[in-house]
Amino acid sequence: MRKLLFAFIALMFINFQSEAQNVYFSLSNNVKFLKQNSNDTLKYPFVSGFQKPQFNKMDLNNDNQKDLVVFDAVGNKIFTYLWQNNAWVYAPQYENIFPPISQWLKLLDYNCDGKEDIFTASGPAYTLNVGEFVTSNGIRYFQNTSTGNTFSFKQKGNCITHIFNGNEDCIEFVSTDLGVIDDINNDGKLDIVQSPSMSNYFNYFECTRPIGNNNCDSLSFDLKALNWGHFNYKVVSHGYNFGLPTSYLFKGGKHVSNSFATFDMDGDGDKDFIYGDGIIPTLIYAKNGKELTKLGRDSFIIEDTIFPRNTYRPFDMVWPSPYFKDFDNDGITDLIITTNEPAAVKNTNNVCLYKNMAVNNTVAPVFSFVKENFLQDEMIDLGGNSKPVFVDIDNDDDLDIIVATQGNYLSTKNSLDLLYFYKNIGTKTNPIYSLVDTNFANIQANTRLPFTNVTPTFGDLNGDGKKDLVFGWYNGYLNYFENTSTGTNISFAKRDSDYFSINAGTEIAPQLIDLNNDGKLDLIIGKRNGTLAYYQNNGTISQANFSVTPTIDSLGKINVRSRDDSYGNATPFICDLDNDGIFEALIGSYSKSVILYTDVSSNPNIKARRFASIFKDDAAVKTDSIMQGVYTSVSVANIDNDSSPEVIIGNQRGGFRFYKSNISGKISLAANDDLITKSFEAKIYPNPAKNYLIIETDLENENAQISLINILGFTILNQIMNKSNNKTKLDLSIIKPGIYFVKIQTETGKQLIQRVVIGE
């Protein structure tokens, strides 16, 4: 009994200590990268790239000016910019104020309080109540409950419903589409326009809540118009059929992907229609003839397939998506055209900004092209799937960066990955990076199959003092390129495309490191299933030798695959972060961003231990498990010769982020046997208690298990706190008086333990 008590108290001590995390990584914008073909440096190089961005506005810093919130559906990543001194200033400290967003985001004031609420995609993962059925194409609604500088959003519904013929059903946005939430009928309330799955027409749902402040929270919609506007998309050609009766819905075929917006294009007071197609590179505009009809109903009458007119149009942008916002805060609505296609599309310089030259918003807009790389012109955005690695490739005693990337789709078609070489033209204490080669090592030469999903690693495998190149790729084989450089002339020669016949499955990510400390480089391979394989080097310093089968098939029992995904895509970087002789591993993944493990060892009996919540994007915010995106990769090095190494993280969107490490003490001494958990706030009262306990937390969008544990460490009561309600009550009527512990553990592993006394 006493051993059980001691073990439980020790566990409590570890968990309380974990709140004072001794290792974390903070976003740094201090490392300089030159603009291409320029001596100017990028202002915000580490935003980490756009691929299919969506644009919204809200006041983030309470200065009565609308700031910019960009949501990229590739990785469900949010980016925030403040409007300061007539320019957009990247402000990542606001990115984690939002709840988890999926597929699309619209920030609009629904409940009449002047604050933007959240509309986003719904699905079973976001249910309010355990066991309820939720359609995957529904609409989630979060009310903005922020006060002052404290942000909060409370989910009010995960399926916005409508009434039709007395029946209630979910309003659905097809997961690939970008529909409309806008005040269509100009009554001061938000309505919804959507296109049903596999259709080519549009339905109109009108907000029917009564006017008045007491009704602002009511989510009440009626289906007011099937085949809204009496038109549909031809599908077989880029145009519309006009003047159709409601029953005539499917003329021209069925459709699967679109993005559209409503905007008064001719200054006549009604909403016109701007449409982007999933396979056509241009937008098409339809005029609303509502003012011409006797009944005053929305009725589209003519089209313009040249939109926007009299200015540049991006013909190489498949699935164009329009966004009408005031992008320069001059009070007049501008236009952005970007893409909603995540893969086979132009993926660099793909955010086209058009300034509205009209005198105000009551007349027809006049859009003038400004640039094709809005915000992208101040960040690193290589195109897609960037995987950066620190290495002194030119032997000048400072660290360069080699980046594997899909590059620009228009030239690589996402099937010819390249290596980009960023040379450090600064010093070993003050690095400045310049892109000097976009086809480093010419890895695509003399190959039968194009390389995709390339992940590089460097190390001296033949004892000549020069770092050779090994990379894995989509088919699971390793390619070996010998470093044949002489002097300042950098060159690599391909020696093997099936290195030691090793194949660890598809999309492998290798790293060369001496894991067993015998002076020879071993091989770690991150696998698609989320685990790591360890291959011991059985050769010599001058001639590496690896077995075709791994020495340890699941190194440290590590697995970074999310339970919601069928694959994990582990991309490891193993190093000794705190110089205590014990290896740590920072591991990129498909959907869990970057995870830190300690006690990574060549001993098959040692299980690595995991840290959670290790990143922060601003000094003023708490550490968190920050979502970097999907297909993340990581590399670590001390690039400025100080006491703390830097971390670079790549992702599918084509950019990367820089973090500075903050380490106090020894990492391995702080880790418990499972994970270092993120703290959260909870109120547990009354204490002492008698017949009941009230438990309130600041958790949002996360279920939690409440456990009552006695002094011996036995759980005597369990209760679920649903994410729809962050307050619950424990019935203590049958619990004996004494000292107990309340343990709150969330579904993502955060936990909190607090002592309570139950009296007579």
Side-chain angles (χ1 to χ4, degrees):
M1 290 286 188
R2 293 182 64 186
K3 289 182 179 179
L4 282 171
L5 175 61
F6 177 78
F8 182 66
I9 292 173
L11 177 63
M12 282 181 54
F13 176 74
I14 290 172
N15 277 280
F16 282 127
Q17 269 203 328
S18 72
E19 296 183 11
Q21 189 121 312
N22 78 325
V23 56
Y24 66 90
F25 305 91
S26 53
L27 185 65
S28 171
N29 199 51
N30 294 329
V31 183
K32 296 181 176 64
F33 277 74
L34 297 183
K35 295 180 179 180
Q36 199 163 355
N37 303 318
S38 172
N39 290 324
D40 292 335
T41 57
L42 295 166
K43 287 183 181 178
Y44 312 112
F46 312 128
V47 175
S48 71
F50 293 162
Q51 200 152 40
K52 45 181 295 188
Q54 302 168 26
F55 294 86
N56 291 272
K57 295 189 72 179
M58 68 178 291
D59 186 358
L60 294 170
N61 59 348
N62 288 317
D63 64 352
N64 296 316
Q65 293 188 108
K66 297 296 184 182
D67 304 302
L68 193 60
V69 178
V70 184
F71 171 72
D72 199 305
V74 175
N76 293 327
K77 174 66 179 172
I78 283 179
F79 307 89
T80 49
Y81 287 80
L82 297 179
W83 182 254
Q84 294 180 340
N85 299 319
N86 294 317
W88 292 114
V89 176
Y90 183 51
Q93 65 266 32
Y94 297 97
E95 292 176 357
N96 260 28
I97 67 173
F98 297 91
I101 305 298
S102 176
Q103 300 174 20
W104 54 268
L105 170 67
K106 294 182 184 295
L107 294 175
L108 301 160
D109 180 15
Y110 178 82
N111 63 337
C112 323
D113 64 356
K115 298 180 291 188
E116 283 77 12
D117 306 300
I118 291 174
F119 295 87
T120 185
S122 182
Y126 305 107
T127 57
L128 285 169
N129 301 301
V130 176
E132 71 177 324
F133 172 78
V134 178
T135 176
S136 293
N137 292 332
I139 301 173
R140 279 191 296 153
Y141 166 62
F142 290 83
Q143 181 181 330
N144 188 337
T145 55
S146 305
T147 56
N149 293 320
T150 302
F151 288 94
S152 62
F153 296 90
K154 187 172 183 61
Q155 184 170 325
K156 291 284 189 164
N158 55 19
C159 174
I160 293 181
T161 61
H162 71 283
I163 304 296
F164 183 65
N165 290 336
N167 297 316
E168 186 177 31
D169 200 0
C170 288
I171 302 174
E172 295 186 3
F173 280 178
V174 177
S175 60
T176 58
D177 289 1
L178 289 175
V180 162
I181 303 177
D182 192 7
D183 183 5
I184 300 298
N185 59 355
N186 296 321
D187 67 349
K189 297 176 290 186
L190 293 175
D191 310 300
I192 296 173
V193 177
Q194 54 90 247
S195 180
S197 177
M198 297 297 292
S199 69
N200 66 330
Y201 63 97
F202 308 93
N203 292 332
Y204 167 54
F205 300 85
E206 186 174 290
C207 181
T208 58
R209 70 166 189 247
I211 296 177
N213 291 335
N214 293 332
N215 301 301
C216 277
D217 289 339
S218 172
L219 289 169
S220 178
F221 290 84
D222 282 355
L223 176 57
K224 287 293 186 180
L226 284 166
N227 195 30
W228 172 67
H230 305 287
F231 78 126
N232 64 26
Y233 185 65
K234 290 179 180 179
V235 179
V236 293
S237 62
H238 196 38
Y240 302 109
N241 298 299
F242 293 109
L244 302 178
T246 299
S247 59
Y248 197 54
L249 299 180
F250 292 102
K251 180 178 176 60
K254 299 179 181 180
H255 198 45
V256 294
S257 59
N258 51 56
S259 56
F260 46 91
T262 51
F263 185 70
D264 185 2
M265 285 295 303
D266 48 14
D268 62 358
D270 55 32
K271 296 296 170 65
D272 304 302
F273 194 77
I274 299 89
Y275 179 88
D277 185 82
I279 59 174
I280 305 295
T282 55
L283 293 167
I284 182 171
Y285 150 62
K287 173 180 169 51
N288 191 342
K290 180 178 181 179
E291 82 282 4
L292 303 176
T293 62
K294 292 181 181 179
L295 297 178
R297 293 175 180 169
D298 293 318
S299 180
F300 294 92
I301 55 174
I302 58 174
E303 68 186 31
D304 185 354
T305 58
I306 302 176
F307 179 86
R309 274 190 176 269
N310 303 316
T311 188
Y312 167 78
R313 289 187 296 150
F315 289 100
D316 51 7
M317 191 179 295
V318 177
W319 201 347
S321 302
Y323 296 89
F324 295 92
K325 304 286 181 184
D326 180 6
F327 290 110
D328 55 8
N329 278 355
D330 65 352
I332 302 174
T333 302
D334 307 302
L335 168 67
I336 277 179
I337 301 175
T338 185
T339 180
N340 195 45
E341 168 59 53
V345 69
K346 183 182 181 183
N347 53 4
T348 60
N349 296 331
N350 60 358
V351 182
C352 294
L353 173 65
Y354 298 81
K355 180 175 175 57
N356 187 349
M357 307 303 292
V359 294
N360 55 50
N361 285 323
T362 64
V363 299
V366 179
F367 292 118
S368 177
F369 176 71
V370 178
K371 61 173 70 175
E372 66 174 358
N373 54 359
F374 176 62
L375 301 182
Q376 293 172 305
D377 56 351
E378 292 293 350
M379 71 174 78
I380 296 167
D381 190 344
L382 304 181
N385 206 16
S386 62
K387 296 180 179 178
V389 177
F390 291 118
V391 58
D392 180 10
I393 204 64
D394 51 6
N395 284 321
D396 62 353
D397 200 30
D398 58 33
L399 287 164
D400 311 297
I401 300 173
I402 304 294
V403 187
T405 177
Q406 291 174 344
N408 185 345
Y409 172 80
L410 297 182
S411 59
T412 69
K413 305 303 180 185
N414 290 353
S415 62
L416 297 166
D417 281 14
L418 302 168
L419 298 182
Y420 282 28
F421 173 26
Y422 282 91
K423 177 177 172 59
N424 183 355
I425 62 172
T427 67
K428 63 187 301 181
T429 58
N430 184 28
I432 301 173
Y433 290 101
S434 175
L435 180 60
V436 298
D437 191 350
T438 58
N439 190 20
F440 179 80
N442 195 20
I443 62 173
Q444 298 287 352
N446 302 315
T447 61
R448 290 178 299 171
L449 296 173
F451 292 123
T452 59
N453 294 91
V454 167
T455 304
T457 184
F458 292 87
D460 183 5
L461 292 167
N462 55 8
D464 64 355
K466 294 178 288 188
K467 298 176 181 65
D468 306 302
L469 165 65
V470 172
F471 66 81
W473 61 296
Y474 182 83
N475 78 346
Y477 293 99
L478 295 171
N479 282 255
Y480 167 52
F481 283 65
E482 182 185 358
N483 189 334
T484 55
S485 303
T486 56
T488 59
N489 180 31
I490 302 173
S491 63
F492 284 79
K494 185 175 183 178
R495 301 303 188 204
D496 201 336
S497 59
D498 185 10
Y499 193 50
F500 288 101
S501 299
I502 293 171
N503 190 306
T506 59
E507 300 180 11
I508 61 172
Q511 184 195 357
L512 291 168
I513 183 173
D514 182 9
L515 190 67
N516 60 355
N517 294 308
D518 66 353
K520 299 172 295 183
L521 289 176
D522 305 307
L523 184 63
I524 311 296
I525 295 181
K527 297 190 289 184
R528 193 170 190 261
N529 67 3
T531 64
L532 307 181
Y534 164 55
Y535 295 79
Q536 181 177 315
N537 187 344
N538 299 311
T540 64
I541 293 176
S542 60
Q543 186 172 355
N545 183 53
F546 298 99
S547 171
V548 70
T549 57
T551 310
I552 301 176
D553 188 52
S554 182
L555 180 66
K557 302 297 186 291
I558 291 169
N559 193 330
V560 297
R561 180 176 64 85
S562 167
R563 62 185 178 184
D564 298 322
D565 297 313
S566 57
Y567 43 91
N569 289 93
T571 306
F573 194 90
I574 297 173
C575 60
D576 185 359
L577 280 171
D578 54 1
N579 297 312
D580 66 349
I582 298 173
F583 282 117
E584 282 74 43
L586 281 161
I587 306 175
S589 65
Y590 171 70
S591 66
K592 294 178 73 174
S593 291
V594 176
I595 304 168
L596 172 64
Y597 288 84
T598 189
D599 288 356
V600 180
S601 170
S602 60
N603 185 335
N605 298 316
I606 294 180
K607 180 181 177 181
R609 295 177 290 168
R610 181 166 68 96
F611 281 71
S613 305
I614 57 170
F615 290 98
K616 59 191 310 183
D617 281 348
D618 187 80
V621 301
K622 296 188 297 185
T623 56
D624 207 342
S625 298
I626 290 174
M627 183 60 183
Q628 306 283 353
V630 292
Y631 289 110
T632 53
S633 66
V634 61
S635 185
V636 181
N638 191 339
I639 65 171
D640 53 8
N641 206 32
D642 63 2
S643 59
S644 301
E646 282 72 33
V647 175
I648 189 171
I649 297 174
N651 71 85
Q652 177 64 38
R653 295 184 308 277
F656 39 84
R657 261 166 133 83
F658 253 93
Y659 286 87
K660 191 74 176 176
S661 62
N662 296 267
I663 302 170
S664 59
K666 302 304 179 185
I667 297 172
S668 60
L669 296 179
N672 65 24
D673 288 334
D674 185 13
L675 54 97
I676 299 296
T677 58
K678 175 190 175 185
S679 62
F680 55 90
E681 299 299 325
K683 295 179 182 179
I684 302 176
Y685 61 90
N687 189 11
K690 187 174 182 182
N691 296 318
Y692 65 90
L693 268 176
I694 302 296
I695 299 167
E696 292 185 59
T697 75
D698 60 356
L699 292 169
E700 292 185 358
N701 313 308
E702 195 168 0
N703 294 323
Q705 178 171 282
I706 312 296
S707 302
L708 187 68
I709 303 169
N710 67 16
I711 195 68
L712 298 178
F714 294 110
T715 300
I716 58 174
L717 182 63
N718 278 322
Q719 186 166 310
I720 297 296
M721 175 185 285
N722 292 329
K723 54 188 173 185
S724 60
N725 187 357
N726 57 4
K727 182 177 179 180
T728 193
K729 182 177 181 179
L730 284 185
D731 182 2
L732 305 178
S733 59
I734 62 172
I735 305 299
K736 296 179 180 179
I739 297 174
Y740 294 84
F741 300 95
V742 173
K743 178 182 177 183
I744 308 170
Q745 180 155 341
T746 73
E747 55 194 349
T748 59
K750 307 171 196 160
Q751 59 177 291
L752 182 148
I753 299 174
Q754 183 168 317
R755 177 181 179 273
V756 296
V757 176
I758 299 177
E760 296 285 352

